[in-house]
Amino acid sequence: MLYHGLAYGTGVWMTSRDIDLHCANSPYLERTLHATFAFPNWHRRGCLNPHGMRALTSLQLPVPCVESPDGHPGFGYGADIPPQILRRLEGDLVWGHALQPGKQDWFATLSVMYWLNELRGGPSAKGIKLLVAESSLTLDARRAMDAMLAGSGRSCDDYFVPVPNLNQRALFRLMRSSHFALAYNRFPEPFGFYVLESVHNGCPVYTNGVGNNRFLLPPGNGITVLETPAMAAQADGRQDPAAYRCVAERILGDLGQRDAIAGQCRRGAALINERWSVAAFERSLLAALDRLEHPLPPEPDFETLQVQLSPLVRSLDPSGRSLNDYASTMLRPETVALAMQLLGQRCADLASDEMEGIEAEHRLFAGGLLTLSTAPLPACAV
């Protein structure tokens, strides 16, 4: 079973023992699947799918721009760039893009664009606008952002220019015409095609790193993961647009050193060519299939598993601010204290009744804060 994400009914087969191999499209998604399979049942002293925990692997997907830098002919569905957009690209504006449909955190994206235009350097400085997928910029999204801008003298149209669904050749052309890209998303990215394609086309990406976006390329290779605890929502859901000023400051600073940033994207493109080619995909697929020729390792003993931070956790501030692919929010002090107390403990040392009570009140595992594992997972900032 190949997983390109965990939405749309994966529960139908996630617990099936008839699946010989669970293949994720990235190591991040593999770790996330492992955390899901390891979800504890304290009463029965077992995991959701111990068979799945030992039948997991990941593949290196081929990214089409590696073999077809100007757009793969098999991805011809979609529109060409509308003439009015082409004319505007030739005008006196600085353009960014956030063209992946359906995943934007509009509060974060609007906040970054607001600060970019407020800090851009005086009335004679160039305006900055963002190309976005028109399917994402719905009437409800527009109304919500216009409400957030009430009293500022600005509207959604001052920052965003909607673009239809484009064919790949047109998409890449817009990326090459853009000075920066935003991927401040609310939806955990299981792989990250748009981010890689942007870097490959010379356009640097700034992101909160949600999902696999924070693991795609090392720092200094075209992807800047920039997120602070202040970006987490308060317990009542309120957010602070000032938290995103630092992103705008970073982008404006990078716009002033275009040659250096272009060099970073070239280094990133070289890594993309190496890691996500058709040849790399073939090697990883053959290695995965080869596992079917050998016995699976034994199912993990529940009692030997240790409590670890979930791979969904991007950071956990001691004050309780949690940046999490599941939901970023402010946790109660007692919730954070319990999580820190449990980290590293073996299941054998944790009483069922006590853990059931803790989970019922604090949802440490169901809320994507903790997981069980035989070995520590990659650390986040704690």
Side-chain angles (χ1 to χ4, degrees):
M1 181 64 62
L2 173 63
Y3 296 80
H4 189 61
L6 297 181
Y8 312 119
T10 51
V12 173
W13 54 79
M14 284 182 67
T15 57
S16 173
R17 294 187 65 90
D18 294 328
I19 306 298
D20 298 305
L21 196 63
H22 296 271
C23 295
N25 68 355
S26 66
Y28 162 79
L29 189 57
E30 180 183 356
R31 293 191 294 270
T32 302
L33 274 168
H34 188 281
T36 305
F37 291 155
F39 187 82
N41 184 321
W42 295 104
H43 177 70
R44 296 183 178 180
R45 309 298 294 183
C47 296
L48 177 68
N49 186 359
H51 169 73
M53 294 169 67
R54 63 187 184 142
L56 263 175
T57 190
S58 60
L59 304 178
Q60 288 181 266
L61 294 188
V63 177
C65 62
V66 171
E67 268 71 34
S68 302
D70 292 323
H72 195 283
F75 292 84
Y77 176 79
D80 290 323
I81 302 173
Q84 66 272 22
I85 299 293
L86 286 173
R87 288 194 295 270
R88 297 192 71 175
L89 289 175
E90 297 170 355
D92 194 28
L93 287 170
V94 175
W95 290 97
H97 79 80
L99 291 166
Q100 186 172 21
K103 295 185 179 180
Q104 290 94 347
D105 178 337
W106 281 117
F107 181 89
T109 304
L110 176 63
S111 298
V112 172
M113 292 304 298
Y114 172 82
W115 286 112
L116 278 172
N117 281 278
E118 291 299 304
L119 301 172
R120 69 186 187 277
S124 61
K126 293 181 179 180
I128 303 174
K129 289 204 171 189
L130 196 71
L131 298 161
V132 298
E134 65 182 13
S135 61
S136 299
L137 195 60
T138 63
L139 182 59
D140 286 344
R142 285 176 174 274
R143 287 172 174 167
M145 286 188 282
D146 285 342
M148 285 188 275
L149 291 166
S152 69
R154 300 185 183 275
S155 72
C156 178
D157 290 334
D158 291 315
Y159 303 115
F160 305 119
V161 174
V163 176
N165 181 43
L166 301 172
N167 61 59
Q168 199 172 78
R169 181 178 294 273
L171 175 68
F172 290 178
R173 183 176 177 185
L174 274 191
M175 288 176 171
R176 291 171 187 170
S177 299
S178 298
H179 296 80
F180 67 95
L182 295 180
Y184 279 78
N185 294 351
R186 58 179 177 81
F187 188 91
E189 180 57 64
F191 180 63
F193 280 103
Y194 274 74
V195 171
L196 292 175
E197 288 165 344
S198 185
V199 172
H200 202 267
N201 281 284
C203 180
V205 179
Y206 301 83
T207 176
N208 56 352
V210 64
N212 197 42
N213 284 347
R214 62 186 180 274
F215 300 111
L216 286 168
L217 294 173
N221 284 271
I223 299 175
T224 298
V225 179
L226 182 51
E227 189 177 43
T228 68
M231 295 176 187
Q234 297 294 321
D236 60 5
R238 288 182 300 166
Q239 293 177 270
D240 184 4
Y244 295 91
R245 177 172 177 152
C246 62
V247 182
E249 292 172 338
R250 175 63 180 271
I251 294 172
L252 291 171
D254 288 350
L255 288 174
Q257 45 179 346
R258 295 295 303 279
D259 289 345
I261 300 302
Q264 291 185 14
C265 288
R266 285 193 296 271
R267 291 196 297 273
L271 285 175
I272 294 167
N273 289 338
E274 175 185 338
R275 295 180 180 179
W276 291 288
S277 65
V278 169
F281 168 68
E282 290 176 346
R283 289 192 296 270
S284 71
L285 178 60
L286 290 174
L289 294 176
D290 185 60
R291 293 188 53 175
L292 298 175
E293 304 300 322
H294 305 282
L296 291 174
E299 290 188 3
D301 178 1
F302 179 82
E303 304 301 337
T304 65
L305 297 176
Q306 295 183 356
V307 178
Q308 304 289 342
L309 277 175
S310 167
L312 301 176
V313 177
R314 302 198 295 277
S315 72
L316 178 60
D317 188 86
S319 70
R321 292 180 186 267
S322 170
L323 296 169
N324 191 300
D325 292 346
Y326 180 82
S328 295
T329 189
M330 174 69 78
L331 301 173
R332 291 181 292 165
E334 56 268 32
T335 299
V336 178
L338 276 170
M340 295 299 104
Q341 178 183 333
L342 289 170
L343 283 178
Q345 294 200 47
R346 296 190 319 149
C347 290
D349 300 322
L350 301 172
S352 295
D353 290 346
E354 181 182 4
M355 291 305 300
E356 285 180 342
I358 289 173
E359 182 65 10
E361 181 177 356
H362 298 279
R363 292 176 54 83
L364 297 177
F365 292 88
L369 188 63
L370 298 180
T371 188
L372 298 177
S373 180
T374 56
L377 298 166
C380 73
V382 179

